[in-house]
Amino acid sequence: MSRALQAGPWLRLARTQWAPLAALAVLALVSAVLAVTVPAATAAGYDRGASAAVGADADLRVTGKSHGTDAAVAVPDEVVLESNGLSWQQLLPGSLREVTGPPEASVAATGQMFMEGDFERPRLMGFDWDPGAWKRVRLVAGRPPVNKPPASDVPAAGQEVEVLVAQQYAQAMGYRPGDRATLRDPDARGPLYVRISGLFAPTDPRDPYWASRPGLLKAMRKIISPDGAEGDVGTALMDARGYTVLTHGADRTFTFTWRFPFRAAAFDNARAHAVRGDLDAYRTAVQGQAGPFSCTAVTALDGRLHGFDVRLRTARSILGTALAGLAAVAAGVLLLATGLLGERIRPVLGTMRARGASLRTLTGYACGLSALAVVPAAALGYAAGRLLDAGPPQSRSIVVVAGLVAVVLAVSAAPALRERGGGLGSARGGDLTAARSSPRRLVLDVLLVAVAVAGVVVLRRRGGASGADPLVAAVPVLLGAALGMLVLRAYPHLLRAAAPALRRGRGAVLFVGLARASRQTMIGSLPLVVLLLAAAVAGFSATVDTTLRDGQVRASYSTIGGDARLESAALDPGAVAKARAVHGVTAAVPARVVEGATGPGDQTPITVVGVDLAAYRAAFPHVPGVPGAPNGQLVSPEADRILKTGSRTVTLTSSLAGPIRVEPTGTIKEFPSVAPGSAFVIVPYKALDSMQRPSEIFIGGDRVDGAALGRVLAASSPKETTSSLQLRSEVLHDMTDVPTIDLVHRTFRDAALIAGGYGLLAVLFVLVVGARARARTVAHLRVLGLDRRRSRVLALVEIAPVLLCAVAAGWVLGLFLPEITGPVVDLRPYTSGYAATGHTPGAAALLALLAALLLAAAAALAVDRAFDRSALGDVLRTGD
């Protein structure tokens, strides 16, 4: 019986407050889902970034070299070759063993062996003994090689080795089964005779095994001499007996390789960190291993993981700032809903206290009522977040959800603790314009501002090394809270300043609306802080996201120098006209690059760039860092230190272009196609009169036909020179098509939207809670002649001061946060080292801000319409 009596007040209280309880439960549910899915999705993005940084072609190679018969003794057959690979695999640390595949052993005869014959370009052939390749090929013509064991009395110069070559290589070079070739072997006393016994094709050309062995499948054009001459290099596939033939009677060098392919899919953020530390340990273990010849472990993964680590630190810094602000907004809205629920039940608690209820009993009712809504909703939200499987579950999600529940329950106890005086005092109102600040609040405000400023100072001193330090995330939230306190202090003064002007107005709507806006308790003023933080998160996200996108575009222009660039040692003079005729091309500016020029008294090489500077600047205004010059001559700081030009004319000498007069009238730090930090000068294109053929053409235009430009380049370049076509769109794609960057963009977008959603919820709470009181005010005014249209204006005026002050202050803070945090928001890892500056939001963000304000105004009108009653008597008796 006693239990039923005790349960009665609980049920009655829950039934009467079902609306705020439902709102609190929904907020707790949504916040718990976000607390689980957002960190999980972020961690999944980091894992994708680690996997992409590794790449499909990454591997760890153990390599060693041996010569002639020593190689045959050290590795006589396939069994020994494979067993050595297993030995190297056993030395792998645990983290490397988890992310690498089985060893792939191969032996290559090193040294350049030229084919004898008359060819368009020199031809070279290499030899690989690759047991794994033999398992992945099929014979398409001829027969397998038949190599007999060499006799000890047969001279090395008279041996012939039979090999297989790829069908694609044979078709390109014109070979057929049975063809013979003679190679000049620098490591033997005579030539090497080769017979192509058959042609092979890969069983599965898409097998990742061939990605690291392109030379086995096709001819590779490579530079074969220091002067830049090119040759066609092919690789023949030999068997174990062919290897034995090559090791006999010659001092040839053989490179033994045991390749461990990295499985990119097995990489995640945690494993990438562990692998970086274990690579050095494995190198040391390989070098210390005793064997017939010394070996070393090599990999390109160090540089890739270092680049990923830099990008990861940047992402954690800037995303941590946005996500911490979002968490603060979510917590603020939850506290707002809890505070408003407390305001609703304060009269009930006051009555219970007046009737003799203890503070413990009141606290139990207040906390129990909130727990009834929050605890099941938080548990359900956590479970729903795990079921959504946004990424690997994060332990901190449990801490965040539990912390939110604990804070809500703690705030729920506040209304009960305020009834120490005996109750029936809950109906006190508040007037922000008349309230005086207590010394305790003044001290707290000063302390909050001091902590925020100190955090900024420490943050800027530590710089980008802060990484994922909680200080990075806490400082923007502290700044938002400090600014919110300052705005709350300035808010009453703004209202008092506006009141006299409104009193002199003819209508009462503005004055009454402003009066109602000023009559708010601290719970009623909490939406201002929440809205400020939400606007700051949205402004910061929009600003950094736009800066990153613009920085990547500017970096692509800085790299290419236009929308495309044609490069060759010497282009046809008519190539410029041909390029201008390509569909989509709007500008084509030729340039000539001369390297190795020297000044008087200093033989340090200087690069000379001949280009019409005025025409270039007019055609490509988006290329950053290219200043103008009256005479079209500029000098880099490095070249200026060498030449010491000052105001005098300097003559550069070059074997390619003759004397070049340089009289620079300005400095330039970088120019497209010139290596950053190098010494170079820019002179007019006509200054290189002796060289009528451009080496570069900068192309401008929208949707340039890359294939047509490639045909122009091929027709305008000498066949014996190397040429290239670079498109800005491809460079920009390489910079943006990175999982970490996609994560940053997506997180900023979601943070802005979620923060905006929470801000609108805060507005709705304020509107709904004050709806009945506003309805009574409107009812009284309607008796005096207020029509419906002006009653709608009253709803807008009442919410407008809080909305505009909070959003304006928060948006300005969000715009300045990148500048305030300084080196923490360093986007250079995502822009190929180019400094992204100019922190301004895009037009889309400004339109979204305007749309959010209009949506808040529409919500005010909708709530006012929903609580509007035609029967004035019903409204006037509400609350009596």
Side-chain angles (χ1 to χ4, degrees), residues 714-732:
S716 305
S717 302
K719 294 183 179 180
E720 67 275 5
T721 60
T722 302
S723 58
S724 65
L725 166 63
Q726 301 183 53
L727 299 176
R728 189 187 65 83
S729 59
E730 295 179 353
V731 173
L732 182 60

Side-chain angles (χ1 to χ4, degrees), residues 740-823:
T740 311
I741 294 179
D742 180 67
L743 172 67
V744 170
H745 287 309
R746 189 173 63 252
T747 304
F748 279 149
R749 179 200 62 199
D750 295 345
L753 292 177
I754 295 172
Y758 272 118
L760 288 175
L761 284 177
V763 173
L764 282 175
F765 277 136
V766 175
L767 292 172
V768 171
V769 169
R772 290 186 177 180
R774 184 171 57 254
R776 288 196 300 269
T777 301
V778 170
H780 286 291
L781 293 176
R782 282 187 179 173
V783 174
L784 301 176
L786 182 73
D787 57 17
R788 291 183 181 273
R789 183 180 63 83
R790 285 186 290 176
S791 68
R792 304 290 186 253
V793 176
L794 178 64
L796 294 177
V797 173
E798 182 178 343
I799 195 64
V802 172
L803 188 64
L804 294 179
C805 288
V807 172
W811 188 258
V812 171
L813 175 63
L815 299 187
F816 281 97
L817 265 180
E819 298 292 345
I820 295 173
T821 53

Side-chain angles (χ1 to χ4, degrees), residues 202-591:
T203 305
D204 182 8
R206 294 173 296 181
D207 191 334
Y209 189 87
W210 300 110
S212 61
R213 299 164 176 82
L216 276 175
L217 301 181
K218 60 183 179 180
M220 309 292 292
R221 185 180 297 183
K222 297 181 179 180
I223 297 176
I224 59 176
S225 63
D227 60 359
E230 295 181 333
D232 293 322
V233 182
T235 303
L237 185 62
M238 61 182 177
D239 58 1
R241 288 188 175 180
Y243 159 75
T244 303
V245 171
L246 288 183
T247 58
H248 176 70
D251 194 26
R252 296 188 183 92
T253 302
F254 292 87
T255 300
F256 298 84
T257 302
W258 292 271
R259 177 180 180 268
F260 296 90
F262 281 111
R263 295 181 289 113
F267 266 85
D268 54 24
N269 184 26
R271 284 199 177 110
H273 181 75
V275 165
R276 286 195 66 188
D278 287 341
L279 280 175
D280 290 335
Y282 185 65
R283 290 191 185 96
T284 303
V286 169
Q287 291 176 355
Q289 191 76 3
F293 49 83
S294 62
C295 293
T296 58
V298 295
T299 180
L301 197 61
D302 299 88
R304 298 181 184 183
L305 290 182
H306 175 71
F308 167 71
D309 189 55
V310 173
R311 293 191 297 271
L312 179 64
R313 283 202 306 269
T314 301
R316 282 178 169 172
S317 296
I318 57 180
L319 293 186
T321 300
L323 294 180
L326 183 60
V329 172
V333 174
L334 267 175
L335 295 181
L336 175 61
T338 307
L340 294 179
L341 175 62
E343 289 293 309
R344 293 284 296 270
I345 65 174
R346 275 193 69 186
V348 178
L349 297 179
T351 303
M352 295 175 64
R353 179 63 170 167
R355 293 177 177 177
S358 65
L359 290 178
R360 179 180 299 179
T361 302
L362 298 182
T363 303
Y365 274 108
C367 294
L369 194 63
S370 297
L372 183 66
V374 172
V375 174
L380 183 61
Y382 181 82
R386 291 292 300 271
L387 289 176
L388 290 175
D389 194 21
Q394 304 297 301
S395 58
R396 63 177 179 270
S397 297
I398 301 178
V399 177
V400 172
V401 173
L404 287 176
V405 172
V407 170
V408 167
L409 296 182
V411 173
S412 300
L417 298 178
R418 293 170 65 181
E419 303 302 332
R420 294 190 186 94
L424 298 179
S426 300
R428 293 186 303 268
D431 192 338
L432 289 177
T433 60
R436 294 183 178 272
S437 298
S438 65
R440 181 182 302 174
R441 180 186 170 188
L442 179 62
V443 171
L444 291 177
D445 291 351
V446 172
L447 180 62
L448 181 59
V449 173
V451 171
V453 173
V456 172
V457 173
V458 174
L459 182 64
R460 293 186 67 89
R461 286 184 177 179
R462 295 180 60 182
S466 302
D469 195 306
L471 176 65
V472 178
V475 166
V477 176
L478 290 174
L479 286 174
L483 181 61
M485 293 299 102
L486 294 177
V487 172
L488 279 177
R489 284 191 167 274
Y491 182 68
H493 298 287
L494 295 176
L495 295 180
R496 283 198 296 266
L502 297 179
R503 289 194 191 102
R504 291 192 294 267
R506 297 181 60 184
V509 174
L510 295 180
F511 175 75
V512 173
L514 192 65
R516 285 192 50 78
S518 65
R519 297 193 189 318
Q520 300 289 344
T521 63
M522 284 303 296
I523 293 297
S525 62
L526 183 59
L528 188 146
V529 181
V530 175
L531 285 173
L532 188 148
L533 286 174
V537 171
F540 174 78
S541 301
T543 300
V544 178
D545 188 70
T546 303
T547 301
L548 176 56
R549 295 181 187 275
D550 292 345
Q552 289 174 333
V553 172
R554 290 170 64 86
S556 65
Y557 274 111
S558 179
T559 302
I560 300 301
D563 294 294
R565 187 174 74 223
L566 307 181
E567 279 187 343
S568 182
L571 287 166
D572 217 359
V576 178
K578 294 178 183 178
R580 288 197 180 104
V582 173
H583 177 70
V585 173
T586 58
V589 178

Side-chain angles (χ1 to χ4, degrees), residues 121-207:
R121 282 182 299 271
R123 294 185 182 181
L124 294 84
M125 179 171 283
F127 300 89
D128 268 13
W129 173 33
D130 194 325
W134 281 97
K135 301 174 184 178
R136 293 172 172 84
V137 300
R138 56 185 176 86
L139 195 67
V140 295
R143 58 173 178 78
V146 178
N147 290 295
K148 298 179 180 180
S152 59
D153 56 349
V154 176
Q159 296 178 13
E160 182 180 72
V161 60
E162 291 191 355
V163 297
L164 294 181
V165 298
Q167 184 182 26
Q168 184 178 355
Y169 169 74
Q171 291 174 350
M173 298 291 105
Y175 295 137
R176 293 178 298 178
D179 287 353
R180 286 180 167 86
T182 303
L183 304 180
R184 298 195 304 271
D185 189 354
D187 295 329
R189 293 186 295 272
L192 175 65
Y193 301 103
V194 178
R195 176 186 174 91
I196 299 176
S197 65
L199 310 180
F200 71 86
T203 305
D204 182 8
R206 294 173 296 181
D207 191 334

